[in-house]
Amino acid sequence: MPHSMLDVLRRIIQQVNAARDLSQALQIVVHAVRDAMRVDAASVYFLDADTGRYVLMAQEGLSDEMVGRLRIAPGEGLVGLVVERAEPVNVEDAPSHPRYRHTLQRENGEFHGFLGIPIIQHRRVLGVLVVRQVAQRRFSETDEAFLLTLAAQLAGAITQAEATGGISRLIEEVSGRVPFMLRGRPGSPGVAIGRAHVVFAPANLERVPERKVEPEAVEAEVAAFREAVDAVRGDIQRMARRMEDVLPAEELALFDVFSMMLGSDTLVDETIARIREGRWAPAALRDTIAEHVRLFEAMEDPYLRERASDIRDLGRRILAYLQARHPPRIEIEGPVILVGEEVAAFHLAEVPRERLGAVVSARGSGTSHVAILARALGVPAVMGVEDLPVGQLQGQELIVDGYEGRIFVKPSDALRQEFDRLRGEERELAAGLESLHDLPAETPDGVRMPLYVNTGLLSDITPSLESGAEGVGLYRTEVPFLVREHFPGEDEQVRIYRHVLEGFAPRPVILRTLDVGGDKPLPYFPIQEDNPFLGWRGIRLTLDHPEIFLTQLRAILRAGQGLDNLQLMLPMITEVEETARLLRRATDELLEDGIEVPVPPMGVMIEVPAAVYQIDAIARRVDFVSIGTNDLTQYLLAVDRNNAQVAELYDGLHPAVIEAILQVVEGAHRHGRPVGVCGELAGDPAAAILLLAAGVDSLSMSVASLPRVKWAIRSLPFAEARRLLDEARGLQDARAIRRLLNEALDRAGVGGLIRAGK
Ligand code: PEP
Ligand code: MG
């Protein structure tokens, strides 16, 4: 190291030692490094032991907005690569590096030269020191040695501060702000900019998000709270009277305790005081209840300790009244981003369709039913954002990128402009897609792929013929069952099914029989199971309840009368004999009632690995098969389709899934039976290319995906698709296969189908 560098180092270390605290020390380091190395930006990241993320702690040359908010996972981007390797990473032209992520550059313009040095103590990477240059720059050995020496000094300082809790305090201090970028899984493609509206499970105090109340609305909020308290007091008195003759006196005393708690002014007054600070009643109530629960839980007397749960119960009762009185009102302007711990299908109904900008959920994955719905509505969605600070997001501005599965909180102007531009390009893309709707899904070398739509998930999504669909490839009949309070009767079902069949006639409509259980429990038919996805779901449940199944079969057959476009499909099949027998019985019964219906073509879903291996036996007995890749992927890979924890492993392009599809196509074709794919994979433009090459006869997908898939098919010759399939079969993992297909789409000029922009 040249002498002057040593001098500089010594000076920096002296300054750092004289610093007031660690925070100032870090600021001195980044400033001095930027000066001494003549770089455009210098920054330092620390490990937040609680989350395992590396948090940007200090910077010069980047935006101050990002301090505390930029949080990087090990392995993520070039900074994550430094952590992963625990070695310096020196890159002359960062954007061309395969591990490069452009988060920072979007905010600060493009940087090319990159040098990242790990801060290591006892083999643990405690942080990363980074310098960046706008121009391309290969950093010298001297540069590396300089930063390494500094990093070693910092490691010592960090370990000292760690021992006194200084690091976590500092991280808390800089992270008082919500993280800048959060990662989840892609749920539905597209980008959106809007404000967050937080939804939460009813009558659950822990889930109540923070909201502000304008000064002029405070008194109304107080009044609503008082009314809720009065209503609960009334309920308790009524309950006590009803129990008077039933319960012994000492048990009845409990109701007195309740009334006393409500009457004592502490609960009520403390909540009102909080509302007067400008907070909405549910959150004020939540905090008052939490404080009292803590007090009681700390008591010596076991009887009094038990009262903590009574207080919680009271809180929930008051909250339920508050919620009933305040039907969720959307107070934000412009596009609404629906945000929640676990966004459910019914939450979507809280926002008018034209205002719904995007969906962000801490739980779930791309194949959760709410994500399927978002795709059906053409709304971007990001699922499984585990560190989503739900409680702090109400009203915040968000950018949602449904392609990459990430969201940006309180974006800077530069970032907003960038995404505005991308949205403009998206609109152009959509206009281009619209012009396709009269054209067939045909490759440039003349191979046609019939495209169908999946519907039935929401009754108000009227089947869209405008998309150019050739029919319905999957009508999920469970929806009318899920939204009612009891099983719908035969006539009611006939009306529902007839509506779809008539709407699409003469185009074919495949009605799938009831597929409940798993993640779709019926509210009026509770099932308690340890492993619902391996339990009583789909055809297994209906075969055990012939009364439910026969009613549905009769309704389906009657609905199809005289239309000649009905096809019947059975879910979760592992064998077919029993179902064929019931279908015969249903037609016989109808005949006895004087209703003569033809037996419709009958197909089965291939969504359990057992069915893949039995494809010959199955194909012989049915008219068609349809591959349900959502379930097939989860069962083949043993990855729960709703579990965000393992969502990284869930990918329908996994080589095992592709081989299974090929095996099904081959087996079914041996018996002259057509094969469709109706899982979400069919609506993925990149995957559709592979399915075409694999010999699949039709694809069925949400209406919103259809034009994208059509465009992909129209852009790549069949011969090229076959070549890609051959190449994909030589690859070892889904990521490599996806990269191969994405590159092919990019080359064909339709990269806009798979990421933001054109
Ligand atoms: C599937 O499993 O791929 C499928 C289409 O069915 P569902 O998503 O309704 O389980
Ligand atoms: Mg399924």
Side-chain angles (χ1 to χ4, degrees):
M1 195 179 294
H3 204 60
S4 60
M5 272 293 193
L6 271 180
D7 283 345
V8 175
L9 253 179
R10 204 168 298 130
R11 207 156 12 103
I12 295 178
I13 292 167
Q14 270 170 6
Q15 284 176 356
V16 167
N17 285 340
R20 170 168 28 87
D21 52 25
L22 191 56
S23 162
Q24 195 191 31
L26 292 179
Q27 207 46 56
I28 293 170
V29 169
V30 289
H31 180 78
V33 164
R34 189 182 184 206
D35 241 25
M37 294 180 72
R38 299 204 168 75
V39 288
D40 296 309
S43 51
V44 57
Y45 299 75
F46 274 9
L47 170 66
D48 175 359
D50 288 342
T51 61
R53 305 279 161 131
Y54 287 78
V55 185
L56 179 64
M57 303 296 286
Q59 61 77 34
E60 284 239 333
L62 306 176
S63 107
D64 195 42
E65 273 280 280
M66 303 174 85
V67 172
R69 300 174 69 200
L70 184 64
R71 308 174 140 248
I72 293 177
E76 186 178 322
L78 290 177
V79 175
L81 186 64
V82 176
V83 174
E84 188 184 299
R85 292 199 182 149
E87 264 175 16
V89 170
N90 187 350
V91 183
E92 185 174 352
D93 181 31
S96 61
H97 192 281
R99 297 287 285 271
Y100 174 78
R101 279 260 167 84
H102 41 212
T103 326
L104 264 184
Q105 280 60 27
R106 284 239 159 99
E107 281 273 302
N108 300 279
E110 199 91 72
F111 289 107
H112 289 86
F114 175 99
L115 174 61
I117 302 283
I119 303 172
I120 300 184
Q121 185 85 311
H122 302 309
R123 297 199 204 144
R124 257 175 79 218
V125 180
L126 302 177
V128 182
L129 197 53
V130 179
V131 289
R132 293 178 169 92
Q133 196 81 39
V134 170
Q136 294 194 2
R137 171 169 172 185
R138 172 95 203 157
F139 288 97
S140 66
E141 267 183 37
T142 317
D143 295 328
E144 276 193 31
F146 174 70
L147 281 189
L148 273 168
T149 316
L150 213 48
Q153 294 287 329
L154 272 178
I158 295 176
T159 320
Q160 253 180 13
E162 229 182 359
T164 59
I167 292 290
S168 46
R169 257 199 316 280
L170 188 57
I171 288 180
E172 246 171 56
E173 202 177 289
V174 295
S175 315
R177 302 182 250 181
V178 178
F180 160 73
M181 184 184 74
L182 294 158
R183 269 192 183 280
R185 302 285 303 167
S188 170
V191 290
I193 305 176
R195 292 199 175 271
H197 172 67
V198 177
V199 293
F200 53 104
N204 184 342
L205 272 175
E206 282 87 52
R207 292 280 154 81
V208 168
E210 203 52 66
R211 275 181 206 172
K212 288 197 179 58
V213 171
E214 295 305 320
E216 60 277 12
V218 162
E219 284 317 309
E221 196 71 9
V222 169
F225 172 68
R226 284 196 194 279
E227 271 177 47
V229 171
D230 286 344
V232 172
R233 195 179 291 132
D235 283 350
I236 290 173
Q237 279 159 4
R238 265 190 301 282
M239 276 192 284
R241 269 200 302 279
R242 224 178 302 137
M243 293 292 163
E244 244 162 21
D245 308 327
V246 190
L247 285 181
E250 61 268 31
E251 300 292 335
L252 276 175
L254 184 63
F255 292 104
D256 294 337
V257 176
F258 270 3
S259 295
M260 219 174 62
M261 285 174 178
L262 281 176
S264 83
D265 288 339
T266 48
L267 264 188
V268 178
D269 287 352
E270 285 175 20
T271 307
I272 290 176
R274 288 187 160 97
I275 298 174
R276 295 221 158 100
E277 283 164 15
R279 304 170 61 202
W280 76 322
L285 174 69
R286 175 197 65 198
D287 288 358
T288 310
I289 296 287
E291 205 174 285
H292 284 253
V293 163
R294 265 197 306 278
L295 278 178
F296 275 89
E297 277 177 343
M299 288 184 180
E300 291 279 324
D301 182 312
Y303 174 82
L304 286 177
R305 251 200 328 266
E306 265 303 296
R307 300 286 69 76
S309 71
D310 297 334
I311 300 216
R312 258 195 224 102
D313 183 36
L314 267 185
R316 271 195 290 269
R317 285 171 192 275
I318 301 172
L319 180 65
Y321 272 102
L322 277 176
Q323 286 172 332
R325 227 159 280 255
H326 272 289
R329 221 169 5 129
I330 312 262
E331 274 149 3
I332 46 190
E333 313 238 308
V336 175
I337 314 277
L338 208 56
V339 174
E341 198 64 48
E342 186 156 25
V343 180
F346 67 85
H347 285 131
L348 294 186
E350 282 185 20
V351 186
R353 168 65 195 92
E354 64 283 1
R355 291 200 55 203
L356 182 61
V359 174
V360 176
S361 178
R363 305 243 183 90
S365 71
T367 38
S368 298
H369 282 94
V370 74
I372 295 180
L373 259 177
R375 276 194 294 273
L377 294 168
V379 165
V382 175
M383 307 291 296
V385 190
E386 282 177 24
D387 5 339
L388 193 68
V390 171
Q392 298 169 50
L393 290 181
Q394 179 64 30
Q396 297 275 18
E397 188 176 30
L398 302 181
I399 291 179
V400 179
D401 176 349
Y403 294 95
E404 303 252 342
R406 54 189 184 166
I407 60 176
F408 298 90
V409 185
K410 284 206 255 177
S412 63
D413 288 345
L415 195 67
R416 197 180 311 106
Q417 273 162 20
E418 170 70 6
F419 272 88
D420 257 338
R421 187 181 64 72
L422 290 171
R423 271 197 326 159
E425 289 190 6
E426 288 245 301
R427 274 193 289 271
E428 282 175 40
L429 184 81
L433 289 174
E434 220 162 87
S435 68
L436 291 180
H437 77 67
D438 291 328
L439 300 172
E442 187 177 305
T443 62
D445 47 354
V447 177
R448 277 204 62 177
M449 171 63 99
L451 302 185
Y452 295 88
V453 286
N454 292 350
T455 85
L457 216 46
L458 259 197
S459 47
D460 63 353
I461 300 172
T462 37
S464 168
L465 282 165
E466 286 149 25
S467 64
E470 302 191 29
V472 175
L474 168 65
Y475 180 86
R476 292 178 162 102
T477 60
E478 51 275 13
V479 175
F481 286 75
L482 289 170
V483 298
R484 280 176 175 66
E485 282 167 1
H486 50 80
F487 284 103
E490 186 174 318
D491 290 341
E492 199 176 351
Q493 289 188 46
V494 173
R495 266 198 308 282
I496 297 166
Y497 307 148
R498 182 90 188 166
H499 184 69
V500 204
L501 287 161
E502 268 177 350
F504 273 87
R507 298 174 181 80
V509 173
I510 301 179
L511 293 187
R512 178 177 76 182
T513 62
L514 195 57
D515 181 20
V516 292
D519 68 337
K520 292 177 278 190
L522 289 177
Y524 46 89
F525 194 76
I527 306 170
Q528 274 303 331
E529 288 179 311
D530 284 343
N531 289 305
F533 274 115
L534 299 182
W536 210 36
R537 66 169 293 208
I539 197 79
R540 303 169 175 180
L541 187 150
T542 44
L543 281 180
D544 286 347
H545 277 274
E547 80 287 6
I548 301 171
F549 195 39
L550 280 168
T551 307
Q552 184 178 37
L553 284 179
R554 287 164 51 107
I556 290 176
L557 293 171
R558 281 174 55 200
Q561 243 187 332
L563 288 174
D564 204 29
N565 65 338
L566 164 67
Q567 304 191 11
L568 187 71
M569 183 157 76
L570 309 165
M572 287 291 294
I573 281 291
T574 41
E575 50 139 324
V576 282
E577 277 316 312
E578 176 75 353
T579 32
R581 196 179 60 72
L582 283 168
L583 185 61
R584 273 194 304 277
R585 188 169 140 194
T587 46
D588 289 349
E589 280 181 13
L590 285 175
L591 197 61
E592 276 171 33
D593 297 345
I595 304 170
E596 192 173 346
V597 287
V599 180
M602 188 181 83
V604 295
M605 292 195 66
I606 305 294
E607 45 186 354
V608 179
V612 176
Y613 291 109
Q614 286 192 292
I615 189 64
D616 273 291
I618 291 175
R620 229 178 278 133
R621 291 174 174 79
V622 298
D623 299 301
F624 63 91
V625 301
S626 185
I627 307 177
T629 48
N630 303 341
D631 280 314
L632 187 58
T633 305
Q634 85 163 337
Y635 292 129
L636 265 181
L637 304 183
V639 176
D640 178 346
R641 65 194 259 190
N642 285 318
N643 185 343
Q645 197 80 28
V646 286
E648 198 80 41
L649 301 171
Y650 182 101
D651 196 328
L653 283 178
H654 190 284
V657 181
I658 294 172
E659 290 307 314
I661 292 171
L662 285 164
Q663 207 168 320
V664 171
V665 172
E666 206 182 295
H669 285 180
R670 254 198 305 278
H671 300 276
R673 307 289 188 251
V675 180
V677 172
C678 64
E680 294 307 304
L681 197 64
D684 173 340
I689 299 296
L690 271 200
L691 296 173
L692 171 82
V696 167
D697 301 286
S698 63
L699 300 176
S700 191
M701 65 207 69
S702 67
V703 175
S705 309
L706 199 136
R708 291 168 181 271
V709 168
K710 192 188 275 187
W711 200 346
I713 289 174
R714 291 182 62 84
S715 306
L716 257 83
F718 184 70
E720 164 79 351
R722 286 303 294 254
R723 197 192 58 70
L724 288 168
L725 176 62
D726 282 345
E727 198 175 333
R729 292 186 76 184
L731 297 173
Q732 311 295 316
D733 62 68
R735 212 178 303 180
I737 296 176
R738 194 167 286 284
R739 204 176 311 128
L740 170 79
L741 296 170
N742 286 354
E743 280 166 14
L745 287 173
D746 255 333
R747 272 198 309 278
V750 286
L753 294 174
I754 43 166
R755 56 173 151 64
K758 271 202 287 201

